[in-house]
Every structure is written in structure tokens, then in C-alpha cells.
Amino acid sequence: MPRARHLAAVPANQRATDEQERSWLRRRSPSGQSGEHPSPISHALKLRLYRGMLLSRRLDERLMALQRQGRVGFHVGHRGEEAAIIGAAAALREQDWLVPCYREFGALLMRGAPLCTYLDQMFGNAADTGHGRQMPDHFHSRAQRCLSVSAPIGTQIPHAVGLAYAARLKGRDDVALVFFGDGATSSNDFHAALNFAGVWGAPVVLACRNNGYAISLPSSQQTASKGFACKAAAYGVRGVEVDGNDVLAVYEATRDAREAAARGEGPTLLELVTYRLDAHSSSDDPRAYRSDEEVAAAAAREPIGRFKAHLLACGALSEAEDAQLQEAVDAEVRAALEAARAREKPALDTLFEDVYAETPWHLTLAAREAAQTARGGSAHTPEGSAD
Amino acid sequence: MMEMNMVQAINAGLHQEMGADPDVVVLGEDVGRVGGVFRVTQGLHDAFGEQRVIDTPLNESGILGTAIGMALYGLKPIPEIQFADFIYPGFDQLVSEAAKYRYRSGGEYSVPMVVRTPFGGGIKGGLYHSQSPEALFIHTAGLKVVCPSNPYDAKGLLRASLQDPDPVLFFEPKRVYRAVKMEVPEHAYEVPLSKAAVVREGSDVTVVAWGAMLYEALAAAEQVRGDDGLDVEVIDPRTLWPLDLDTVLESVRKTGRLVIVHEAPRACGFGAELVSLVCENAFVHLEAPPQRVTGFDTPFPYALEDDYLPLAHRIAPALRETARF
Ligand SMILES: Cc1ncc(C[n+]2csc(CCOP(=O)(O)OP(=O)(O)O)c2C)c(N)n1
């Protein structure tokens, strides 16, 4: 079945397959079979993608473990979705913008952010450029042209459209890549953003990670349409469905969408079809809404093993090199985690900064009041509460 | 100097700012060819083209959300919300995004934009063309709220708002739009933010009022001067938040009495905050309990709007009562 894919088919149970109903999809023909991929993607780039995916996976595992030990407040990761995130981010150029949802720390790192930029935010420590104001995994980095993660679903999509359109108004060819989940396609802002993007022809790539779920709700409860890429058609936007577990397919589809946007050919909605292997977040227990069999079947198609098999087969990687790489990634993560954990809390003053560019009188007074109250208190748990 | 009404003054200000800074863009529903339903953006489209005066699809969240993106990129967008009553579909973008961007990014990003919107009643607009939602935005840390009451201030405050690095909500009292004319300089000038004006000096009672209600307060002040010999001081905060509290306190220390007038419903309105601030900071100077003359805690009505609004005939008794207490 022709879709953007290189390595293996999109899992049939996740996709509707009626060819006729899907004829509006702009299809990309597969350029090869697993194992003998004739893609022009160089070995060096493939290894970069692979390392990005390994680093993300390792971080997810370590952060989830630290969360369980009470050392990290919260984690929302992307285990299983590495190909969708790393592949798309790698297709950006330096001048482009990344507009994340909340699972895309791997994309931030692919854009060259130091690991500490991310981990300091995870711990909300004094080195966090957000001064510990947001929950973990709500990062940003101006140096990497990565906007700031917001918790309300879908709100970042119109930002990306405005940002991209502003670039065009300024006569530049920067492109914005915005990530969101399948659940976000039900938000008002998704529709507003697609409509504005289409009407304006904004140079934006809209990447819907269809990981199968929005917390407990399966994709089929977000929409009655066949998938999400088709929604683009109603807004006069290109829609492309991509095997989101195939990092090369994601890379190529995003690269093409990026280039089209930069050429002035307007926006593309990518549907990256993948699967969320872990819980929605460290606060979720997915056993309440899906079966172990389903997860096991999805795990068999997970993107890292698949890509490793491809790298071995095409000679980009040997087992020995793989072991070395894994060890190097592990060591990097361990050292960065140790450093981030050791840092202090943000200073009390920072609580009152950045509300406005200049601190107004009422916040200066508030800061004085806070400083006079000794630090060290913590909230009391109410006794006899309902549960 | 030219005689102008508020629509003309804001329009002149927009022309000037767009002419001076190519990064200033205007966007909203009908702002382009037609020049806005109140004609505030008239002529801008011809002067600056459709790339800078952008007619958008009908979606307030889209207007504000894309304006935020433009501001993050380095433009200075001036989104227009056609009536303040329709700001609610874009409320989330203002309170969750524009207001919080600087704080959540530790100052790495900011959203300098000026959201212009006509507000208030008195034009037979009924439920959905008359509301005064300023308190909702004052309650949101990170937003600045400006409300000019005359053409001169409108042009000067608009410029100051555009120079400001933070998101500003610019509430334009639509009843004043064409009703008040005055001399407005042709050159660019600023009326600084967070600086109140003492519009009328007096020694017996302080009244704080903004937008169209300022004129009701002034009328009431004249009434009680004639009838009761009361000498009323009237203050126009001009910027509601961050507030120029000093000017209010100085006045209350002099008069010992305070009346607040606003169109919005009373419960949790900005008047409540003003009373608190004055009690906290000048309690010993108060000779009478502060009073609020406001809209009622109902939706805004159509046929009975003159009964709903805190017009001069309701303000005058409050002034007398406060003075006599
Ligand atoms: C406006 C809003 N409503 C509800 C939530 C709570 N919430 C957080 S994540 C989530 C599901 C999002 O699903 P999806 O967009 O598919 O992204 P995914 O988590 O699958 O990556 C919900 C309902 C929220 N953050 N914002």
C-alpha cells in the first residue's frame, strides 16, 4: 500500500485502508524495502538519527525510574514515538523554529540543545532558564529556536502559524514545525490554525503524532474521519500520512514539507502514525484502557529495533559499534542527571521576576513580603479528605 | 493640532506607528478593506497593503494565537477584537499564552502586542455588544490593561502601549468613539502607561472612573456642586493595571472619601480591588466607607441599558451620601 514508508507497513489495525476514501492523500511512493534501502540519506545522517533515538529512549527510561523514586516530579516521555519526533526534527534547518507540544524533548536535543538545558528544567533547579516555574517537560530554548511548552492542548498550533507567517512577511525563508497529538486535533485551536495556515499559505509544517491515544481515549474517539491527514483537505492544506515508526520516512516527509513551505508552497499537515508504548505520563496507568496484547503487538513494531535492523543490514552499523554507542549514551545521561540533581532550588526573588519586563510596584511589595516570611514551610495535607 | 474624535485619533496613531516601524502589523476581522466596523483602521490597507493590514478568518483564538506567534518572531502585532464581547473565544490565548510567555520562559520570550477592542454599553448593543470585561484581564498576571477616555489620551496611550514590551489590552470605550472631540497633536507623542490623570480637582470626595463612565462622573460632580456645594475630585486611571495607586491614595488622603464608578458588574469587579487597596493603604484617612456605583450583577440588557449603567443620576446620590456620612 503506497504511503510514506520505508521499513514496514503501518499497522493495519490502526489505519482505515479504503483506498478510495483516501485518494485525496498526497502519497509518497516508497523508495525501498527494509534492509536494502536505496534512499539518498547518508550513513552519517542515519547514525545521527539513531543516536538521537537512543538518547531519547535512555532518558525516558531513567527519568521514569527517577520519577518512581520521587526524585523527579513528573515525566511525559516519548517511548515508542522516537522516530516521529527525531525524524521530523532532524529535517529542520538551523534557521527553522520548533514549536513543541510536550513529548518532544528529543527534538530539542536534536537541534543541539545541551542535555543540561533539558534536565535543569526537569528538576526545576536554579539553572533552569524557566526558573522552575513550570512542571517538568515544559521546556523552551531560545538558542535552539524552540518555543515554550504550554499545558493547554492545541494552543501552540496557531503560534506556529503566526510565527511562520511573520517570517514570510519579513521576507525570510524560515519554516516552523509544530508538534501536537491526535487529541489536539479536536481542539478549537487546531481548526483555527489550519484554517489560518491555509488561507495565508503560511510556511508551517503541522506534525500530528497520532500515537493512538489521548490519555485513555483511542484516536477513534477523537474523530469520525479516516485518520487525521485527511483533515488537511478541508482547509486547502496538503495532508500526508506517514509511517511514524519509520524514521527515514518521517525524515523525508518532513524534509519535503519543509522545502515546499520554504519555496512558498504553503503548509503541510503530516500525520505521523505511531504508538505510545508507555503510559500517557508518570501519573497514568494505561492498563485501565488497553490490553497487554495490544501493547506487546505495538512493541514488536517499535522504531528503534526496526531501525537498528536496517542499519545493520545496510552496513551503517555493526553490533560492536552499537554496543559502544549505547554505552556512550548511557554515560552521557548518567553524568548529566547527576549534575542536574545536585543543583539548588531557584532563588526566591525569581518568583516575582518576568511577570512583566519591568517589575511593577505591587510585585516589588509582594517580593518584600515574601522575603520577610522565613522559607522552609510546606503545604499541610488535609486530614480526613474524601478519598 | 487638529480637532479629532477618538476614532480619528487612534486611526492617526496607527498610521503614524505603522509608518515609523515596518514591524507593526494590524490584523483582525474586517480591519482591511472596510477599515473595521467602527472604521478605526480605515485607510491603513491602502497605505500599507494587505501584508501589514491583514483581514483574518473569523476566529478570535486564531487572531490572538497567530498574533502571539508574530510577536514571538519579532513583529509588533496589533490584533483587533471587533467587540470586547467576542474576546472570550480567544480568552485562553490571552490568559494562558500571551500573559504567561515571559514568565514561563524566564524572560527568553515575550509577547509585545496591543490587543485593541471596543468595549462598554450605551449604544443599544444589548447583551453581546456592551460588555466590560476588564476585571478578567486585570486578574491575570502578565497582562497590562489600558483604557483611554478621550482622543488625546487614546493616541498617546496607543503609542506607549506599542512601545511596551508586554502584552497590552487596549479597551476603547465605543460610546466615546465619536462623541468627544478635542485638539490632538499631529506629531507622535506618548501618554505614559500607569499614570493616572486628575481630571477635575476637588477636596470633598474622590471619584475614580474610566472609559465612558468618566463623563458620567464629571456630570454628577457638576450636579452636586450646584445642588450641594460639594467639591468633587475626579480621577481617570487611564491604565487600569498596573495601576497608578499613588495618585488615587493622594487624593483620598486629601478628601477622605471615595466613590468608584464602573460599567462592569459589581461582584469581583475592579472597583472591589480599588476599595481594598485604598483600605489597606489609607484606612486612617477615610471618613466614610468607600462606595461603588456599577453595572448590576446581571447580563447587560438591551431595552433597560440606561437603568443598568451607572449614570450620573445614580452617581450623584452616592457622592452626597459619602460626603454626609
Ligand atoms: C485544553 C486541555 N484540556 C485537557 C487537558 C488535559 N490533557 C493533557 S494531555 C491530554 C491528552 C492529549 O492527547 P494528545 O493530543 O493525543 O497528545 P498525546 O498525549 O497523545 O501526545 C489531556 C486531555 C489539557 N492539558 N488541556
Side-chain angles (χ1 to χ4, degrees):
Chain A
M1 199 170 42
R3 280 193 209 114
R5 65 155 190 265
H6 294 292
L7 304 180
V10 174
N13 65 344
Q14 257 178 270
R15 315 281 351 115
T17 55
D18 186 320
E19 271 321 297
Q20 260 175 340
E21 278 189 72
R22 297 175 153 273
S23 56
W24 32 257
L25 284 183
R26 202 193 64 150
R27 288 164 194 288
R28 301 168 63 257
S29 52
S31 46
Q33 295 293 317
S34 178
E36 48 209 296
H37 193 285
S39 148
I41 295 172
S42 69
H43 281 192
L45 175 56
K46 285 182 183 176
L47 289 176
R48 216 181 124 236
L49 293 169
Y50 185 59
R51 191 179 199 285
M53 290 165 73
L54 285 183
L55 178 62
S56 299
R57 177 70 58 96
R58 195 71 197 120
L59 280 165
D60 264 337
E61 289 163 353
R62 294 286 291 130
L63 287 165
M64 213 47 106
L66 288 171
Q67 196 282 333
R68 296 294 177 238
Q69 297 162 22
R71 293 172 200 228
V72 171
F74 173 82
H75 181 53
V76 52
H78 60 247
R79 224 170 62 85
E81 301 178 55
E82 290 90 350
I85 290 162
I86 301 299
L92 292 182
R93 301 268 200 85
E94 201 177 328
Q95 74 266 30
D96 295 333
W97 293 78
L98 171 67
V99 185
C101 167
Y102 44 63
R103 295 195 192 278
E104 297 86 7
F105 65 86
L108 174 70
L109 300 178
M110 279 306 275
R111 284 184 67 69
L115 196 42
C116 65
T117 300
Y118 170 60
L119 290 180
D120 289 335
Q121 200 284 322
M122 287 303 295
F123 287 91
N125 65 32
D128 170 18
T129 55
H131 303 302
R133 289 168 184 156
Q134 291 222 74
M135 275 173 83
D137 280 313
H138 289 59
F139 49 85
H140 70 269
S141 175
R142 182 151 197 128
Q144 274 73 38
R145 293 196 161 197
C146 171
L147 295 193
S148 128
V149 172
S150 162
I153 291 293
T155 51
Q156 78 281 16
I157 315 176
H159 301 169
V161 174
L163 186 86
Y165 193 51
R168 209 186 81 185
L169 293 177
K170 296 280 272 180
R172 306 201 183 117
D173 67 353
D174 328 357
V175 166
L177 167 69
V178 55
F179 282 105
F180 49 92
D182 48 300
T185 66
S186 298
S187 73
N188 300 336
D189 278 333
F190 167 80
H191 298 280
L194 260 128
N195 194 40
F196 275 59
V199 170
W200 288 348
V204 60
V205 182
L206 304 126
C208 173
R209 284 182 290 95
N210 177 4
N211 61 11
Y213 289 90
I215 310 189
S216 67
L217 288 194
S219 307
S220 58
Q221 273 179 268
Q222 296 298 336
T223 185
S225 63
K226 307 271 186 218
F228 297 92
C230 66
K231 290 175 187 284
Y235 299 103
V237 168
R238 265 185 308 276
V240 181
E241 186 186 289
V242 185
D243 178 350
N245 276 8
D246 178 344
V247 71
L248 299 178
V250 173
Y251 174 81
E252 289 194 349
T254 313
R255 181 199 59 201
D256 292 352
R258 192 220 158 267
E259 284 173 4
R263 281 195 304 270
E265 291 165 20
T268 304
L269 171 65
L270 299 176
E271 179 186 349
L272 310 174
V273 184
T274 176
Y275 190 88
R276 192 192 80 212
L277 286 177
D278 270 343
H280 167 73
S281 74
S282 51
S283 316
D284 172 45
D285 182 359
R287 283 170 304 185
Y289 53 85
R290 65 188 189 186
S291 68
D292 292 346
E293 296 76 55
E294 177 187 311
V295 180
R301 301 185 300 264
E302 70 80 31
I304 294 185
R306 236 172 113 179
F307 193 39
K308 181 182 162 186
H310 168 78
L311 293 176
L312 292 173
C314 74
L317 186 76
S318 69
E319 284 286 4
E321 285 164 341
D322 183 47
Q324 252 175 12
L325 190 56
Q326 305 247 17
E327 206 165 299
V329 164
D330 204 26
E332 185 186 345
V333 168
R334 230 179 303 123
L337 275 170
E338 236 160 77
R341 268 181 58 188
R343 295 201 176 99
E344 301 273 295
K345 257 192 179 180
L348 181 58
D349 290 354
T350 62
L351 179 57
F352 303 96
E353 293 165 359
D354 305 314
V355 180
Y356 301 94
E358 263 179 59
T359 305
W361 63 268
H362 68 286
L363 293 178
T364 306
L365 289 181
R368 216 171 290 156
E369 185 188 323
Q372 282 161 2
T373 320
R375 249 181 138 168
S378 64
H380 297 278
T381 306
E383 280 171 40
S385 62
D387 54 341
Chain B
M1 292 281 226
M2 261 179 77
E3 178 104 326
M4 286 187 193
N5 64 30
M6 189 183 275
V7 168
Q8 293 164 327
I10 296 172
N11 181 270
L14 289 170
H15 268 277
Q16 220 151 38
E17 299 305 325
M18 293 189 79
D21 183 351
D23 285 339
V24 177
V25 298
V26 164
L27 69 158
E29 295 153 10
D30 309 294
V31 298
R33 246 168 236 113
V34 101
V37 295
F38 291 101
R39 303 291 181 271
V40 177
T41 55
Q42 199 161 43
L44 296 174
H45 189 268
D46 286 343
F48 301 105
E50 62 185 17
Q51 302 248 299
R52 295 185 58 201
V53 185
I54 306 164
D55 272 321
T56 65
L58 201 165
N59 187 299
E60 284 67 24
S61 192
I63 293 167
L64 295 168
T66 55
I68 289 170
M70 290 176 184
L72 290 168
Y73 192 81
L75 297 182
K76 279 198 181 168
I78 310 183
E80 176 183 293
I81 299 300
Q82 206 160 67
F83 287 84
D85 310 66
F86 308 130
I87 208 162
Y88 305 115
F91 190 64
D92 186 45
Q93 284 292 343
L94 287 171
V95 305
S96 300
E97 304 301 320
K100 295 187 170 52
Y101 232 106
R102 181 185 294 283
Y103 197 68
R104 76 191 200 202
S105 67
E108 281 199 5
Y109 289 109
S110 62
V111 180
M113 67 175 185
V114 182
V115 182
R116 290 184 38 253
T117 187
F119 86 116
I123 56 127
K124 290 280 169 212
L127 282 175
Y128 293 117
H129 297 83
S130 307
Q131 294 171 60
S132 298
E134 63 269 25
L136 298 173
F137 301 100
I138 294 168
H139 195 65
T140 301
L143 297 178
K144 294 188 173 180
V145 181
V146 172
C147 178
S149 62
N150 66 59
Y152 178 92
D153 284 356
K155 186 177 169 201
L157 286 167
L158 178 69
R159 181 172 169 80
S161 300
L162 260 174
Q163 305 298 326
D164 197 89
D166 289 306
V168 175
L169 281 189
F170 199 81
F171 284 104
E172 299 170 3
K174 55 173 127 28
R175 194 148 76 108
V176 178
Y177 262 162
R178 292 174 195 277
V180 178
K181 278 198 166 152
M182 65 199 293
E183 295 277 305
V184 175
E186 275 155 72
H187 65 263
Y189 62 93
E190 267 185 43
V191 171
L193 299 189
S194 295
K195 204 88 200 89
V198 180
V199 178
R200 185 187 197 277
E201 287 193 31
S203 53
D204 293 334
V205 185
T206 298
V207 179
V208 180
W210 53 93
M213 291 308 101
L214 183 74
Y215 300 93
E216 299 297 331
L218 288 168
E222 285 307 311
Q223 262 180 40
V224 297
R225 186 180 64 134
D227 300 350
D228 313 74
L230 285 178
D231 191 14
V232 176
E233 180 146 300
V234 179
I235 293 178
D236 176 359
R238 300 196 287 198
T239 297
L240 303 183
W241 203 256
L243 175 74
D244 174 7
L245 182 61
D246 286 344
T247 299
V248 176
L249 291 179
E250 200 179 312
S251 178
V252 170
R253 284 184 190 120
K254 178 172 69 176
T255 64
R257 292 159 207 278
L258 175 67
V259 172
I260 294 152
V261 182
H262 63 63
E263 294 189 34
R266 176 173 307 188
C268 294
F270 187 46
E273 180 62 32
L274 278 166
V275 171
S276 273
L277 285 169
V278 167
C279 287
E280 283 164 14
N281 291 283
F283 189 71
V284 295
H285 297 272
L286 284 171
E287 309 279 353
Q291 287 219 27
R292 290 174 286 164
V293 189
T294 68
F296 298 110
D297 291 335
T298 68
F300 196 100
Y302 174 69
L304 302 180
E305 75 173 347
D306 283 350
D307 299 295
Y308 178 91
L309 288 169
L311 302 183
H313 72 276
R314 280 173 56 202
I315 302 169
L319 295 175
R320 288 190 200 105
E321 233 174 78
T322 306
R324 274 203 306 263
F325 183 85

